[in-house]
């Protein structure tokens, strides 16, 4: 690819500590970063993890692509 070719992509990686922190504050931080992709460490696990992941993604203004 030549210089100037391509599309900018903003990727944010965040450890959410099994969602023990304030979800509203977390969502505000992620939204302020205006990411295209968010990689979440220690995301929802076990019981209803798919729904919890979808709810978290919705709070970010994004959708779940993998879980």
């Amino acid at each position: 690819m030549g210089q100037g070719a391509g599309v900018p992509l903003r990727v944010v990686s965040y450890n959410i500590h099994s969602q023990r922190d304030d979800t509203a504050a977390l969502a505000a931080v992620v939204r302020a970063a205006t990411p295209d992709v968010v990689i979440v460490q220690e995301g929802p696990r076990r019981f209803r993890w798919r729904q919890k992941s979808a709810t978290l993604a919705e709070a970010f203004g994004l959708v779940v692509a993998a879980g």
Side-chain angles (χ1 to χ4, degrees):
M1 285 181 127
Q3 222 174 9
V7 177
L9 180 69
R10 183 178 302 252
V11 178
V12 170
S13 178
Y14 209 109
N15 186 330
I16 64 168
H17 306 287
S18 301
Q19 269 186 293
R20 289 177 287 191
D21 298 330
D22 181 3
T23 301
L26 170 63
V29 168
V30 171
R31 281 179 177 266
T34 62
D36 298 302
V37 176
V38 177
I39 301 166
V40 175
Q41 292 88 44
E42 295 187 38
R45 295 181 290 236
R46 297 184 184 96
F47 184 69
R48 298 182 62 193
W49 67 269
R50 288 178 183 89
Q51 180 59 44
K52 291 176 183 176
S53 294
T55 300
L56 185 61
E58 186 177 330
F60 294 164
L62 301 169
V63 296
V64 174

